[in-house]
Amino acid sequence: MKILTVLTSHDQLGETGRKTGFWLEELAAPYYVFKDAGAEVVLASPKGGQPPLDPKSNEPDFQTDATHRFEADPEAQSALASTIPLQSINIEDFDAIFYPGGHGPLWDLAEDINSIKLLASALASNKPVALVCHAPGVLRHVKNPEGTPVVYGKKVTGFKNSEEAAVGLSEIVPFLVEDELISKGGQYSSASDWASYVVKDGNLITGQNPASSAEAARQLLLLTSESVRV
């Protein structure tokens, strides 16, 4: 089983002068769900190389057993330092795709043509795809073969408007994930703020927030195992 994990290359939080990037827990927790199950994990990003870590995600309040394990893992750190450029990825080489969040993806992956093509191709060929927290927002321009938004009529979740308001970035982000999914025809639902909540509709899995990342990864693993067996 070979799983592609796609990270942001964007490190600027709008015009605030503050740094952003990917959210550490949303990479670390799924990484070990996959690795501990014996899957091969390949990391990619729009620019390749070392993707930017949202510094806030590595503050003590947001550290977990998985983030500590990831930071102490030479193999994981080496993979992170040398992510593959998205443009060189062939979806046929992978069984599934996972997108961690962080605010960075709202700026680059949401608009990246290679990411859009990758997701459209994966979903059209019925490969399992999971996205957590802000990452469901990168589906905004992804369309079905007939030209409709890929989330249209699909049960989805993602970072809630109230969660964005709680971190004080509602006026900073280029768009709100919840609003965007709804505007594209997604059947959006959520749990209480910061609770783990994962939705599966066909081969598309979405998670609401960082707490949802491990469960989204487990759901992806189950779905991928079924498709690989078939």
Side-chain angles (χ1 to χ4, degrees):
M1 194 185 301
K2 193 172 182 181
I3 300 175
L4 178 67
T5 296
V6 181
L7 297 156
T8 181
S9 292
H10 184 85
D11 69 350
Q12 295 296 315
L13 192 59
E15 303 300 321
T16 65
R18 290 148 57 191
K19 292 292 187 182
T20 191
F22 70 90
W23 196 262
L24 184 55
E25 181 184 6
E26 295 170 30
L27 169 62
Y31 182 85
Y32 290 112
V33 169
F34 302 145
K35 295 289 281 188
D36 292 347
E40 179 182 353
V41 180
V42 174
L43 305 184
S45 63
K47 294 181 180 178
Q50 178 79 47
L53 170 69
D54 186 321
K56 192 169 184 63
S57 72
N58 206 18
E59 292 177 356
D61 284 350
F62 302 111
Q63 292 172 350
T64 65
D65 289 344
T67 66
H68 290 306
R69 182 180 175 188
F70 190 87
E71 293 215 297
D73 184 339
E75 180 184 340
Q77 291 301 308
S78 176
L80 184 62
S82 53
T83 66
I84 298 169
L86 260 186
Q87 63 182 9
S88 66
I89 292 293
N90 182 352
I91 186 58
E92 297 305 318
D93 295 335
F94 298 92
D95 299 302
I97 305 178
F98 188 89
Y99 273 65
H103 284 88
L106 299 184
W107 277 275
D108 65 347
L109 290 170
E111 309 299 328
D112 186 274
I113 190 63
N114 294 305
S115 176
I116 293 166
K117 288 180 178 178
L118 182 75
L119 287 164
S121 177
L123 291 165
S125 57
N126 213 35
K127 289 181 185 283
V129 174
L131 313 94
V132 295
C133 200
H134 287 87
V138 310
L139 296 168
R140 69 189 308 215
H141 298 311
V142 182
K143 294 184 178 180
N144 293 308
E146 63 271 22
T148 56
V150 79
V151 301
Y152 185 83
K154 289 272 193 180
K155 297 174 183 175
V156 291
T157 190
F159 206 55
K160 289 175 69 176
N161 288 354
S162 56
E163 290 172 322
E164 199 69 83
V167 297
L169 295 175
S170 299
E171 305 301 321
I172 304 300
V173 293
F175 61 91
L176 294 169
V177 175
E178 178 181 340
D179 287 354
E180 190 67 16
L181 292 172
I182 292 170
S183 75
K184 293 295 188 291
Q187 296 179 8
Y188 180 90
S189 64
S190 61
S192 57
D193 289 5
W194 316 115
S196 175
Y197 184 71
V198 175
V199 173
K200 180 169 78 72
D201 192 329
N203 61 326
L204 178 63
I205 297 165
T206 47
Q208 180 179 317
N209 48 33
S212 312
S213 53
E215 179 58 26
R218 285 190 285 268
Q219 291 292 328
L220 183 70
L221 199 60
L222 285 170
L223 202 54
T224 307
S225 298
E226 292 169 4
S227 64
V228 168
R229 280 200 301 272
V230 172

PDB file of all heavy atoms in Angstrom, residues 64-91:
ATOM      1  N   THR A  64       1.780  16.474  20.666  1.00  0.00           N
ATOM      2  CA  THR A  64       1.158  15.205  21.026  1.00  0.00           C
ATOM      3  C   THR A  64       2.229  14.117  21.010  1.00  0.00           C
ATOM      4  O   THR A  64       3.377  14.369  20.618  1.00  0.00           O
ATOM      5  CB  THR A  64       0.067  14.821  20.016  1.00  0.00           C
ATOM      6  OG1 THR A  64       0.688  14.590  18.738  1.00  0.00           O
ATOM      7  CG2 THR A  64      -0.986  15.918  19.872  1.00  0.00           C
ATOM      8  N   ASP A  65       1.856  12.918  21.389  1.00  0.00           N
ATOM      9  CA  ASP A  65       2.799  11.796  21.305  1.00  0.00           C
ATOM     10  C   ASP A  65       3.273  11.611  19.871  1.00  0.00           C
ATOM     11  O   ASP A  65       4.448  11.323  19.625  1.00  0.00           O
ATOM     12  CB  ASP A  65       2.134  10.502  21.797  1.00  0.00           C
ATOM     13  CG  ASP A  65       1.916  10.498  23.309  1.00  0.00           C
ATOM     14  OD1 ASP A  65       2.529  11.337  24.003  1.00  0.00           O
ATOM     15  OD2 ASP A  65       1.136   9.654  23.793  1.00  0.00           O
ATOM     16  N   ALA A  66       2.346  11.789  18.918  1.00  0.00           N
ATOM     17  CA  ALA A  66       2.707  11.612  17.509  1.00  0.00           C
ATOM     18  C   ALA A  66       3.675  12.696  17.037  1.00  0.00           C
ATOM     19  O   ALA A  66       4.623  12.398  16.292  1.00  0.00           O
ATOM     20  CB  ALA A  66       1.452  11.618  16.641  1.00  0.00           C
ATOM     21  N   THR A  67       3.478  13.953  17.465  1.00  0.00           N
ATOM     22  CA  THR A  67       4.392  15.013  17.031  1.00  0.00           C
ATOM     23  C   THR A  67       5.775  14.817  17.641  1.00  0.00           C
ATOM     24  O   THR A  67       6.790  15.041  16.971  1.00  0.00           O
ATOM     25  CB  THR A  67       3.865  16.419  17.377  1.00  0.00           C
ATOM     26  OG1 THR A  67       3.815  16.606  18.791  1.00  0.00           O
ATOM     27  CG2 THR A  67       2.476  16.647  16.795  1.00  0.00           C
ATOM     28  N   HIS A  68       5.838  14.370  18.897  1.00  0.00           N
ATOM     29  CA  HIS A  68       7.132  14.094  19.521  1.00  0.00           C
ATOM     30  C   HIS A  68       7.840  12.949  18.781  1.00  0.00           C
ATOM     31  O   HIS A  68       9.050  13.014  18.524  1.00  0.00           O
ATOM     32  CB  HIS A  68       6.961  13.723  20.986  1.00  0.00           C
ATOM     33  CG  HIS A  68       6.543  14.872  21.862  1.00  0.00           C
ATOM     34  ND1 HIS A  68       7.232  16.066  21.909  1.00  0.00           N
ATOM     35  CD2 HIS A  68       5.495  15.009  22.721  1.00  0.00           C
ATOM     36  CE1 HIS A  68       6.630  16.894  22.762  1.00  0.00           C
ATOM     37  NE2 HIS A  68       5.577  16.276  23.261  1.00  0.00           N
ATOM     38  N   ARG A  69       7.084  11.926  18.458  1.00  0.00           N
ATOM     39  CA  ARG A  69       7.649  10.773  17.743  1.00  0.00           C
ATOM     40  C   ARG A  69       8.173  11.200  16.373  1.00  0.00           C
ATOM     41  O   ARG A  69       9.261  10.794  15.954  1.00  0.00           O
ATOM     42  CB  ARG A  69       6.574   9.691  17.595  1.00  0.00           C
ATOM     43  CG  ARG A  69       7.042   8.416  16.902  1.00  0.00           C
ATOM     44  CD  ARG A  69       5.890   7.418  16.806  1.00  0.00           C
ATOM     45  NE  ARG A  69       6.275   6.240  16.047  1.00  0.00           N
ATOM     46  CZ  ARG A  69       5.427   5.289  15.673  1.00  0.00           C
ATOM     47  NH1 ARG A  69       4.132   5.376  16.002  1.00  0.00           N
ATOM     48  NH2 ARG A  69       5.848   4.247  14.959  1.00  0.00           N
ATOM     49  N   PHE A  70       7.394  12.038  15.680  1.00  0.00           N
ATOM     50  CA  PHE A  70       7.780  12.482  14.341  1.00  0.00           C
ATOM     51  C   PHE A  70       9.068  13.297  14.395  1.00  0.00           C
ATOM     52  O   PHE A  70       9.969  13.124  13.562  1.00  0.00           O
ATOM     53  CB  PHE A  70       6.649  13.318  13.732  1.00  0.00           C
ATOM     54  CG  PHE A  70       6.830  13.617  12.273  1.00  0.00           C
ATOM     55  CD1 PHE A  70       6.379  12.730  11.309  1.00  0.00           C
ATOM     56  CD2 PHE A  70       7.452  14.782  11.851  1.00  0.00           C
ATOM     57  CE1 PHE A  70       6.544  12.996   9.955  1.00  0.00           C
ATOM     58  CE2 PHE A  70       7.623  15.063  10.511  1.00  0.00           C
ATOM     59  CZ  PHE A  70       7.169  14.165   9.559  1.00  0.00           C
ATOM     60  N   GLU A  71       9.164  14.182  15.370  1.00  0.00           N
ATOM     61  CA  GLU A  71      10.340  15.049  15.465  1.00  0.00           C
ATOM     62  C   GLU A  71      11.603  14.291  15.860  1.00  0.00           C
ATOM     63  O   GLU A  71      12.710  14.746  15.591  1.00  0.00           O
ATOM     64  CB  GLU A  71      10.068  16.177  16.446  1.00  0.00           C
ATOM     65  CG  GLU A  71       8.985  17.131  15.936  1.00  0.00           C
ATOM     66  CD  GLU A  71       9.239  18.557  16.321  1.00  0.00           C
ATOM     67  OE1 GLU A  71       9.239  18.835  17.521  1.00  0.00           O
ATOM     68  OE2 GLU A  71       9.461  19.378  15.410  1.00  0.00           O
ATOM     69  N   ALA A  72      11.415  13.123  16.495  1.00  0.00           N
ATOM     70  CA  ALA A  72      12.566  12.315  16.914  1.00  0.00           C
ATOM     71  C   ALA A  72      12.877  11.192  15.931  1.00  0.00           C
ATOM     72  O   ALA A  72      13.755  10.360  16.193  1.00  0.00           O
ATOM     73  CB  ALA A  72      12.300  11.723  18.302  1.00  0.00           C
ATOM     74  N   ASP A  73      12.184  11.183  14.812  1.00  0.00           N
ATOM     75  CA  ASP A  73      12.290  10.099  13.828  1.00  0.00           C
ATOM     76  C   ASP A  73      13.153  10.551  12.645  1.00  0.00           C
ATOM     77  O   ASP A  73      12.704  11.337  11.814  1.00  0.00           O
ATOM     78  CB  ASP A  73      10.873   9.743  13.359  1.00  0.00           C
ATOM     79  CG  ASP A  73      10.832   8.566  12.401  1.00  0.00           C
ATOM     80  OD1 ASP A  73      11.861   8.252  11.783  1.00  0.00           O
ATOM     81  OD2 ASP A  73       9.741   7.961  12.268  1.00  0.00           O
ATOM     82  N   PRO A  74      14.397  10.073  12.545  1.00  0.00           N
ATOM     83  CA  PRO A  74      15.294  10.512  11.462  1.00  0.00           C
ATOM     84  C   PRO A  74      14.727  10.227  10.071  1.00  0.00           C
ATOM     85  O   PRO A  74      14.881  11.040   9.156  1.00  0.00           O
ATOM     86  CB  PRO A  74      16.577   9.715  11.709  1.00  0.00           C
ATOM     87  CG  PRO A  74      16.526   9.327  13.151  1.00  0.00           C
ATOM     88  CD  PRO A  74      15.084   9.128  13.452  1.00  0.00           C
ATOM     89  N   GLU A  75      14.080   9.093   9.912  1.00  0.00           N
ATOM     90  CA  GLU A  75      13.506   8.745   8.607  1.00  0.00           C
ATOM     91  C   GLU A  75      12.401   9.721   8.220  1.00  0.00           C
ATOM     92  O   GLU A  75      12.330  10.184   7.075  1.00  0.00           O
ATOM     93  CB  GLU A  75      12.956   7.317   8.643  1.00  0.00           C
ATOM     94  CG  GLU A  75      12.346   6.868   7.320  1.00  0.00           C
ATOM     95  CD  GLU A  75      11.726   5.485   7.398  1.00  0.00           C
ATOM     96  OE1 GLU A  75      12.074   4.713   8.317  1.00  0.00           O
ATOM     97  OE2 GLU A  75      10.884   5.173   6.525  1.00  0.00           O
ATOM     98  N   ALA A  76      11.546  10.050   9.188  1.00  0.00           N
ATOM     99  CA  ALA A  76      10.463  10.991   8.927  1.00  0.00           C
ATOM    100  C   ALA A  76      11.011  12.379   8.610  1.00  0.00           C
ATOM    101  O   ALA A  76      10.525  13.058   7.691  1.00  0.00           O
ATOM    102  CB  ALA A  76       9.528  11.056  10.131  1.00  0.00           C
ATOM    103  N   GLN A  77      12.005  12.806   9.359  1.00  0.00           N
ATOM    104  CA  GLN A  77      12.587  14.135   9.136  1.00  0.00           C
ATOM    105  C   GLN A  77      13.279  14.218   7.785  1.00  0.00           C
ATOM    106  O   GLN A  77      13.230  15.253   7.107  1.00  0.00           O
ATOM    107  CB  GLN A  77      13.562  14.466  10.268  1.00  0.00           C
ATOM    108  CG  GLN A  77      12.894  14.691  11.617  1.00  0.00           C
ATOM    109  CD  GLN A  77      11.894  15.827  11.583  1.00  0.00           C
ATOM    110  OE1 GLN A  77      12.201  16.939  11.150  1.00  0.00           O
ATOM    111  NE2 GLN A  77      10.672  15.561  12.038  1.00  0.00           N
ATOM    112  N   SER A  78      13.911  13.135   7.372  1.00  0.00           N
ATOM    113  CA  SER A  78      14.557  13.106   6.061  1.00  0.00           C
ATOM    114  C   SER A  78      13.527  13.192   4.943  1.00  0.00           C
ATOM    115  O   SER A  78      13.709  13.924   3.954  1.00  0.00           O
ATOM    116  CB  SER A  78      15.372  11.816   5.914  1.00  0.00           C
ATOM    117  OG  SER A  78      15.934  11.714   4.626  1.00  0.00           O
ATOM    118  N   ALA A  79      12.418  12.462   5.109  1.00  0.00           N
ATOM    119  CA  ALA A  79      11.344  12.510   4.104  1.00  0.00           C
ATOM    120  C   ALA A  79      10.747  13.910   4.021  1.00  0.00           C
ATOM    121  O   ALA A  79      10.449  14.417   2.933  1.00  0.00           O
ATOM    122  CB  ALA A  79      10.273  11.488   4.447  1.00  0.00           C
ATOM    123  N   LEU A  80      10.585  14.556   5.175  1.00  0.00           N
ATOM    124  CA  LEU A  80      10.009  15.897   5.217  1.00  0.00           C
ATOM    125  C   LEU A  80      10.929  16.915   4.547  1.00  0.00           C
ATOM    126  O   LEU A  80      10.461  17.843   3.877  1.00  0.00           O
ATOM    127  CB  LEU A  80       9.737  16.304   6.666  1.00  0.00           C
ATOM    128  CG  LEU A  80       9.037  17.648   6.872  1.00  0.00           C
ATOM    129  CD1 LEU A  80       7.651  17.645   6.246  1.00  0.00           C
ATOM    130  CD2 LEU A  80       8.948  17.975   8.357  1.00  0.00           C
ATOM    131  N   ALA A  81      12.213  16.744   4.707  1.00  0.00           N
ATOM    132  CA  ALA A  81      13.184  17.690   4.146  1.00  0.00           C
ATOM    133  C   ALA A  81      13.310  17.567   2.632  1.00  0.00           C
ATOM    134  O   ALA A  81      13.849  18.459   1.975  1.00  0.00           O
ATOM    135  CB  ALA A  81      14.546  17.478   4.794  1.00  0.00           C
ATOM    136  N   SER A  82      12.792  16.480   2.081  1.00  0.00           N
ATOM    137  CA  SER A  82      12.991  16.228   0.643  1.00  0.00           C
ATOM    138  C   SER A  82      11.685  15.812  -0.028  1.00  0.00           C
ATOM    139  O   SER A  82      11.643  14.825  -0.757  1.00  0.00           O
ATOM    140  CB  SER A  82      14.055  15.150   0.439  1.00  0.00           C
ATOM    141  OG  SER A  82      13.746  13.974   1.187  1.00  0.00           O
ATOM    142  N   THR A  83      10.618  16.574   0.236  1.00  0.00           N
ATOM    143  CA  THR A  83       9.338  16.253  -0.405  1.00  0.00           C
ATOM    144  C   THR A  83       9.474  16.353  -1.921  1.00  0.00           C
ATOM    145  O   THR A  83      10.259  17.141  -2.453  1.00  0.00           O
ATOM    146  CB  THR A  83       8.203  17.174   0.072  1.00  0.00           C
ATOM    147  OG1 THR A  83       8.474  18.516  -0.362  1.00  0.00           O
ATOM    148  CG2 THR A  83       8.057  17.135   1.586  1.00  0.00           C
ATOM    149  N   ILE A  84       8.698  15.544  -2.606  1.00  0.00           N
ATOM    150  CA  ILE A  84       8.738  15.490  -4.066  1.00  0.00           C
ATOM    151  C   ILE A  84       7.865  16.611  -4.650  1.00  0.00           C
ATOM    152  O   ILE A  84       6.757  16.843  -4.165  1.00  0.00           O
ATOM    153  CB  ILE A  84       8.217  14.123  -4.550  1.00  0.00           C
ATOM    154  CG1 ILE A  84       9.127  13.007  -4.031  1.00  0.00           C
ATOM    155  CG2 ILE A  84       8.131  14.070  -6.070  1.00  0.00           C
ATOM    156  CD1 ILE A  84       8.569  11.621  -4.230  1.00  0.00           C
ATOM    157  N   PRO A  85       8.353  17.316  -5.677  1.00  0.00           N
ATOM    158  CA  PRO A  85       7.513  18.350  -6.298  1.00  0.00           C
ATOM    159  C   PRO A  85       6.235  17.742  -6.873  1.00  0.00           C
ATOM    160  O   PRO A  85       6.283  16.697  -7.536  1.00  0.00           O
ATOM    161  CB  PRO A  85       8.406  18.908  -7.416  1.00  0.00           C
ATOM    162  CG  PRO A  85       9.808  18.565  -7.004  1.00  0.00           C
ATOM    163  CD  PRO A  85       9.702  17.256  -6.288  1.00  0.00           C
ATOM    164  N   LEU A  86       5.114  18.385  -6.632  1.00  0.00           N
ATOM    165  CA  LEU A  86       3.822  17.859  -7.073  1.00  0.00           C
ATOM    166  C   LEU A  86       3.769  17.602  -8.582  1.00  0.00           C
ATOM    167  O   LEU A  86       3.126  16.656  -9.028  1.00  0.00           O
ATOM    168  CB  LEU A  86       2.712  18.845  -6.702  1.00  0.00           C
ATOM    169  CG  LEU A  86       1.884  18.551  -5.450  1.00  0.00           C
ATOM    170  CD1 LEU A  86       0.751  19.553  -5.332  1.00  0.00           C
ATOM    171  CD2 LEU A  86       1.340  17.132  -5.447  1.00  0.00           C
ATOM    172  N   GLN A  87       4.420  18.446  -9.349  1.00  0.00           N
ATOM    173  CA  GLN A  87       4.333  18.307 -10.800  1.00  0.00           C
ATOM    174  C   GLN A  87       4.935  17.003 -11.311  1.00  0.00           C
ATOM    175  O   GLN A  87       4.632  16.560 -12.420  1.00  0.00           O
ATOM    176  CB  GLN A  87       5.015  19.488 -11.495  1.00  0.00           C
ATOM    177  CG  GLN A  87       6.503  19.592 -11.230  1.00  0.00           C
ATOM    178  CD  GLN A  87       7.114  20.821 -11.903  1.00  0.00           C
ATOM    179  OE1 GLN A  87       6.401  21.672 -12.425  1.00  0.00           O
ATOM    180  NE2 GLN A  87       8.420  20.905 -11.883  1.00  0.00           N
ATOM    181  N   SER A  88       5.785  16.364 -10.482  1.00  0.00           N
ATOM    182  CA  SER A  88       6.412  15.117 -10.918  1.00  0.00           C
ATOM    183  C   SER A  88       5.679  13.869 -10.420  1.00  0.00           C
ATOM    184  O   SER A  88       6.103  12.746 -10.672  1.00  0.00           O
ATOM    185  CB  SER A  88       7.868  15.069 -10.432  1.00  0.00           C
ATOM    186  OG  SER A  88       7.923  15.004  -9.013  1.00  0.00           O
ATOM    187  N   ILE A  89       4.545  14.069  -9.740  1.00  0.00           N
ATOM    188  CA  ILE A  89       3.788  12.952  -9.183  1.00  0.00           C
ATOM    189  C   ILE A  89       2.875  12.328 -10.241  1.00  0.00           C
ATOM    190  O   ILE A  89       2.180  13.039 -10.976  1.00  0.00           O
ATOM    191  CB  ILE A  89       2.926  13.411  -7.982  1.00  0.00           C
ATOM    192  CG1 ILE A  89       3.819  13.807  -6.802  1.00  0.00           C
ATOM    193  CG2 ILE A  89       1.937  12.329  -7.574  1.00  0.00           C
ATOM    194  CD1 ILE A  89       4.595  12.667  -6.180  1.00  0.00           C
ATOM    195  N   ASN A  90       2.877  11.005 -10.302  1.00  0.00           N
ATOM    196  CA  ASN A  90       1.953  10.258 -11.157  1.00  0.00           C
ATOM    197  C   ASN A  90       0.976   9.527 -10.246  1.00  0.00           C
ATOM    198  O   ASN A  90       1.377   8.661  -9.462  1.00  0.00           O
ATOM    199  CB  ASN A  90       2.725   9.259 -12.028  1.00  0.00           C
ATOM    200  CG  ASN A  90       1.814   8.487 -12.971  1.00  0.00           C
ATOM    201  OD1 ASN A  90       0.585   8.579 -12.895  1.00  0.00           O
ATOM    202  ND2 ASN A  90       2.411   7.710 -13.870  1.00  0.00           N
ATOM    203  N   ILE A  91      -0.294   9.876 -10.333  1.00  0.00           N
ATOM    204  CA  ILE A  91      -1.299   9.301  -9.442  1.00  0.00           C
ATOM    205  C   ILE A  91      -1.358   7.781  -9.558  1.00  0.00           C
ATOM    206  O   ILE A  91      -1.718   7.080  -8.602  1.00  0.00           O
ATOM    207  CB  ILE A  91      -2.688   9.925  -9.710  1.00  0.00           C
ATOM    208  CG1 ILE A  91      -3.712   9.427  -8.676  1.00  0.00           C
ATOM    209  CG2 ILE A  91      -3.145   9.625 -11.121  1.00  0.00           C
ATOM    210  CD1 ILE A  91      -3.362   9.695  -7.255  1.00  0.00           C
TER     211      ILE A  91
END
